Amino acid sequence: MERSAADVLFIAGFGRSGSTLLDRIFGRIEGFVSVGEIRQLWRRGLMEGQLCGCGEPVPECGFWREVLEDAFRRFTPDDARRVFSIAHRVDRVRTFRALYRDRADDGDEYARILASLFRSVRRVSGARVIVDTSKSITHGLLLRKALGDRVSTVHLVRDSRAVAFSWMRRRRRPEIHWKRAEMPTFGALRTSLDWMLVNTLIGRARRRFDPGMTRIRYEDLAASPRETVIGMLADVGIPLPNDAEVPDRSFTPGIDHTVSGNPLRFQSATVEIRPDLEWQSALPAGKRRLTTALTWPLLLRYGYLGRE
Ligand SMILES: [Zn+2]
């Protein structure tokens, strides 16, 4: 049976893999809307009031107000807390197995909420395809529960050594506008173990998403954005109109109502995409060896070993 075209593109992966770049690219493609990491809408967005990609605190952003009103009529801060507590119970690593086997009845209520939310995002944005870069695979399984095979999934991977280096660096979080806050930092050991776990689970979930799941590497995206994006859409069966303009190495971003992501979310000046290879010289040798030793099976599978 022919599968009808998906209208939600879910990006799965580990943090610091370049998903915000995908948000900005899709924000420029006609018919697509990027909502960022929508799983963060309840806590970071509505409860904490962090900044939307448009620069307004999420609770004051006109786009999200309209979406929430459309989806739930009235949506109070108490509702946000209630939805967050439901989401927090089901969207976590320990529920993976139950969600994967579709046994998590607990997920039903949240899946209904997600279905309403996505319906309203579509209505308000007028977009044909919604791009959700939440990354968490349990969120992806819940989306699948909510929307079935209307969800296509891209597994975005990035070299674990680059990821380890990124998590070691201190970076500001401009979305926390009421005080100075930095992104958390983690050591190479912790990042390596988590990177393996998260990518393994996403690989394992593949059967639940097929057909309609593909894998791309951040490094390929950064080297040839247009080609990579066109290829991945073809892989997951999302048609791109012939005249669609897909950004390449340099583009001017629009205004995206992205809920969460890295500081690239707020950039309005021209985005110049180039592969970020700083880790190759800046990651200390010992940490590099440690990360390679702990993550080599997937590095090999993703084609990162053997070229150095
Ligand atoms: Zn906004």
Side-chain angles (χ1 to χ4, degrees):
M1 202 175 69
E2 185 86 348
R3 177 171 171 266
S4 57
D7 54 14
V8 172
L9 182 64
F10 167 62
I11 310 299
F14 189 71
R16 308 284 172 90
S17 295
S19 63
T20 306
L21 178 58
L22 277 178
D23 269 329
R24 301 313 307 262
I25 291 175
F26 277 110
R28 290 317 280 167
I29 307 179
E30 186 73 35
F32 287 75
V33 65
S34 291
V35 290
E37 302 174 23
I38 209 170
R39 74 190 283 263
Q40 302 290 358
L41 175 64
W42 321 112
R43 186 174 63 88
R44 290 189 190 172
L46 296 168
M47 290 162 60
E48 294 181 2
Q50 294 190 15
L51 295 183
C52 176
C54 68
E56 290 286 334
V58 171
E60 280 139 54
C61 160
F63 174 79
W64 287 111
R65 286 172 83 131
E66 207 179 326
V67 166
L68 291 167
E69 211 175 280
D70 188 82
F72 309 109
R73 290 274 181 89
R74 239 178 107 259
F75 200 78
T76 63
D78 275 343
D79 292 326
R81 276 189 285 276
R82 191 181 60 83
V83 174
F84 172 69
S85 74
I86 298 170
H88 189 60
R89 213 167 48 227
V90 289
D91 180 5
R92 53 201 313 170
V93 170
R94 83 161 85 108
T95 61
F96 175 81
R97 191 190 291 261
L99 287 170
Y100 174 70
R101 298 200 171 144
D102 208 9
R103 279 197 286 102
D105 299 338
D106 222 18
D108 290 348
E109 187 181 8
Y110 189 52
R112 278 195 295 274
I113 292 169
L114 285 176
S116 304
L117 183 68
F118 274 75
R119 194 181 312 122
S120 298
V121 167
R122 179 175 326 287
R123 225 178 271 159
V124 172
S125 68
R128 188 168 55 84
V129 180
I130 301 167
V131 182
D132 171 3
T133 51
S134 288
K135 298 196 290 284
S136 143
I137 191 59
T138 44
H139 172 82
L141 289 165
L142 287 156
L143 261 190
R144 188 81 183 175
K145 205 180 192 32
L147 304 168
D149 62 9
R150 286 171 49 202
V151 183
S152 276
T153 303
V154 170
H155 180 187
L156 174 65
V157 298
R158 184 180 185 188
D159 192 311
S160 54
R161 283 99 28 116
V163 174
F165 178 64
S166 177
W167 278 107
M168 285 161 58
R169 279 196 291 189
R170 295 170 60 150
R171 266 209 243 163
R172 263 214 78 187
R173 296 183 62 183
E175 64 270 36
I176 297 182
H177 53 97
W178 58 92
K179 61 174 186 190
R180 190 184 163 84
E182 288 188 348
M183 293 183 168
T185 56
F186 294 106
L189 173 67
R190 161 94 186 260
T191 300
S192 299
L193 297 175
D194 287 352
W195 184 92
M196 275 302 281
L197 172 68
V198 165
N199 284 299
T200 301
L201 290 181
I202 295 171
R204 200 171 288 171
R206 199 185 170 96
R207 255 195 303 158
R208 281 215 81 52
F209 291 94
D210 269 342
M213 182 160 175
T214 192
R215 184 170 69 222
I216 64 165
R217 304 194 310 178
Y218 163 77
E219 293 78 3
D220 299 325
L221 177 70
S224 12
R226 182 182 291 152
E227 194 188 326
T228 307
V229 165
I230 291 174
M232 80 188 213
L233 290 175
D235 281 352
V236 298
I238 293 182
L240 198 58
N242 285 334
D243 57 349
E245 280 190 38
V246 179
D248 211 9
R249 321 247 331 225
S250 167
F251 67 95
T252 308
I255 291 174
D256 303 318
H257 298 285
T258 46
V259 169
S260 191
N262 81 20
L264 174 62
R265 235 157 36 96
F266 301 108
Q267 183 168 331
S268 53
T270 302
V271 175
E272 303 280 352
I273 305 176
R274 62 179 79 85
D276 175 4
L277 301 173
E278 193 188 343
W279 69 273
Q280 293 183 351
S281 53
L283 181 66
K287 297 198 186 304
R288 182 179 177 138
R289 274 197 300 276
L290 174 76
T291 307
T292 309
L294 291 170
T295 60
W296 71 267
L298 290 182
L299 284 176
L300 196 63
R301 177 174 304 173
Y302 303 153
Y304 289 122
L305 292 181
R307 290 181 308 151
E308 289 173 34

